[in-house]
Amino acid sequence: MLTWPAPQIPQLPGEGGPVLVRDTSSGRLVEAAPGPEATLYVCGITPYDATHLGHAATYIAFDVLVRAWLDSGRSVTYASNVTDVDDPLLERATATGVDWRELAQDQSALFRSDMTALGVVPPDVYRGVVETVPQIADGVRRMLEAGAAYRVPTPEAEGDDVYADLSVDPAFGSVAGLDEATMRALSAERGGDPDRPGKRSPLDPLLWRAERAGEPAWDAPGLGRGRPGWHIECAVIAADGLGVPFDVQGGGSDLVFPHHECSDSHLRVLDGGAAARVHLHTGMVGFQGQKMSKSLGNLVLVSRLVAEGVDPMAVRLAVLAHRYRDDWEWTSADLAAAQERLARWRRALSGNGGPDAAPVLAAVRAAVADDLDTPTALAAVDAWAQDALEGGGPVEEGAPGVVARTVDALLGVRL
Ligand code: 5CA
Ligand code: ZN
């Protein structure tokens, strides 16, 4: 998959410390990547509608993690996917009379331009499902051979659907820690089919969908024509791109169950018991009282804001003013406050000198390393900007440059 141009990340004096994040599964603060090489998988978009503020907030949060890791001297390998064939995409294509491939291509291109505008560091490994079908089919076959999957006869298709048998994985449930009734309800709500007849257990997820009339399908030896299920897609792309175990599995909180629960289970079955070390999830951004979502249509689009002349750096600042794991509601006041902050920072940086930058660098570093606490980081820059604008204190000539590079390198805000 084509990614987007990597932003230039300025070098800062010194080095950041270890980055701590709150693991979804244990609820504890843990070191995100203990070794010198950090590995991250973040679930990518399903490209059937343009990037909204919710997606942007999620990718900006993980971008801050990548930047904090780089600042702490780690090398980073970041992998992500594009769900370029799946039910919601096919349904939207049919409903609008557009070819599903064209829809996916157009929306993926728009996503790339939004991420470029927002200064998000692109993934090193970026794979679409369509280009990864052979590897995913191989994963499904290996699960069948291991006795971790089974075929369900499908009268409306020539071949069989294939499902994972979750009973072979005693660790299933450890990511989300939910009770059976909640898992069942969420499975039905988020793409699962707990009531499908012929399954061994209601929560068993689809691995391979046999070809139905009018749906895209690929030949897969041993499976028959069909297309991949959702969770196996991310398991295979993560394992191929990063190896297992990898450090952080990420996405929005709507992916904790069943998506990450199931993809972790598939990884364990396929790769000898290892999956992601840490699970990290962002809160849901709402708009007009509900989760912003493509299916509800209550969207604030990054591309539309940018087309209206909004500086993408203000969009980024509006997002960074919230804790990544909180649910929050987008309002026009958020944007106005961010635009004002951006203008204030730019005014403060326009002088020849300013107050000592070292404490700001230390404070921003400490805040992002403390579970990506961006509001505290912004407050530290605000305080410096206020001192700079008020004047009167001792002035250092190079201070504005150091502050600008701090904000750019660690928060991704170009001033
Ligand atoms: N392609 C799958 C993941 S494999 C998918 O969930 N795609 S998506 O386009 O629906 O979402 C892309 C990312 O944005 C996911 O990490 C999702 O959790 C996140 N996301 C979706 N809606 C919101 C929202 N309202 N607020 C915050 N993050 C969101
Ligand atoms: Zn995923």
Side-chain angles (χ1 to χ4, degrees):
M1 264 284 151
L2 202 60
T3 57
W4 54 92
Q8 288 278 346
I9 301 182
Q11 278 288 319
L12 296 174
E15 203 166 77
V19 184
L20 303 184
V21 294
R22 195 164 297 281
D23 176 39
T24 307
S25 305
S26 66
R28 283 203 280 271
L29 268 187
V30 294
E31 193 169 344
E37 288 153 25
T39 44
L40 169 69
Y41 184 84
V42 181
C43 282
I45 55 158
T46 306
Y48 69 90
D49 217 330
T51 324
H52 61 63
L53 249 306
H55 304 130
T58 288
Y59 297 112
I60 287 171
F62 289 100
D63 184 57
V64 172
L65 173 63
V66 168
R67 288 164 182 273
W69 269 336
L70 292 172
D71 181 57
S72 74
R74 278 162 181 73
S75 67
V76 178
T77 309
Y78 171 17
S80 187
N81 68 306
V82 179
T83 310
D84 56 1
V85 57
D86 199 12
D87 296 343
L89 171 76
L90 298 174
E91 284 159 17
R92 176 64 63 90
T94 307
T96 52
V98 178
D99 184 88
W100 63 274
R101 281 160 288 225
E102 220 172 283
L103 178 61
Q105 267 170 24
D106 289 353
Q107 297 307 321
S108 299
L110 202 49
F111 179 70
R112 288 194 296 271
S113 66
D114 287 350
M115 292 298 105
T116 309
L118 292 170
V120 171
V121 176
D124 304 288
V125 176
Y126 197 42
R127 299 260 174 80
V129 177
V130 171
E131 64 187 350
T132 317
V133 167
Q135 291 89 328
I136 302 172
D138 184 55
V140 177
R141 265 192 309 273
R142 287 198 287 128
M143 286 185 66
L144 278 166
E145 283 158 17
Y150 57 95
R151 296 171 200 270
V152 175
T154 308
E156 64 270 37
E158 272 184 28
D160 297 332
D161 289 342
V162 180
Y163 281 83
D165 184 346
L166 294 174
S167 71
V168 304
D169 175 23
F172 179 80
S174 57
V175 174
L178 299 171
D179 60 62
E180 186 75 20
T182 308
M183 290 197 283
R184 214 172 148 146
L186 285 177
S187 163
E189 200 182 298
R190 297 175 176 168
D193 53 1
D195 300 321
R196 158 98 196 243
K199 280 168 50 166
R200 292 183 187 163
S201 178
L203 295 177
D204 288 350
L206 180 74
L207 295 173
W208 186 257
R209 179 174 161 90
E211 181 176 20
R212 312 293 202 268
E215 289 188 12
W218 291 262
D219 283 319
L223 301 176
R225 282 179 66 77
R227 62 180 162 99
W230 179 26
H231 319 302
I232 187 73
E233 150 198 352
C234 283
V236 168
I237 294 174
D240 275 7
L242 302 173
V244 279
F246 54 93
D247 287 313
V248 173
Q249 158 94 290
S253 61
D254 57 341
L255 298 185
V256 179
F257 193 91
H259 186 48
H260 289 165
E261 192 72 66
C262 291
S263 60
D264 251 40
S265 174
H266 301 340
L267 279 166
R268 278 190 295 271
V269 168
L270 286 170
D271 295 283
R277 287 182 43 256
V278 175
H279 294 92
L280 192 57
H281 292 95
T282 53
M284 287 294 108
V285 181
F287 184 54
Q288 297 167 334
Q290 275 177 302
K291 169 191 160 185
M292 200 179 288
S293 87
K294 292 181 279 204
S295 49
L296 291 172
N298 58 335
L299 307 181
V300 176
L301 303 183
V302 175
S303 48
R304 196 170 300 150
L305 291 175
V306 173
E308 284 165 7
V310 173
D311 188 327
M313 292 301 111
V315 176
R316 196 161 169 126
L317 272 182
V319 167
L320 294 173
H322 297 270
R323 285 306 304 260
Y324 77 88
R325 73 176 40 251
D326 293 343
D327 293 338
W328 54 280
E329 173 93 7
W330 173 266
T331 64
S332 49
D334 274 287
L335 183 60
Q339 286 170 313
E340 206 209 303
R341 175 177 261 144
L342 188 62
R344 204 167 54 243
W345 287 8
R346 283 181 173 151
R347 272 201 312 280
L349 286 166
S350 63
N352 257 343
D356 186 9
V360 191
L361 170 56
V364 173
R365 257 190 182 137
V368 294
D370 178 16
D371 199 19
L372 316 179
D373 184 357
T374 52
T376 297
L378 300 196
V381 182
D382 282 344
W384 182 89
Q386 193 177 335
D387 286 352
L389 290 169
E390 279 170 4
V395 164
E396 290 192 13
E397 210 174 296
V402 175
V403 172
R405 286 198 291 282
T406 299
V407 168
D408 187 351
L410 292 170
L411 301 172
V413 177
R414 292 182 304 267
L415 292 168

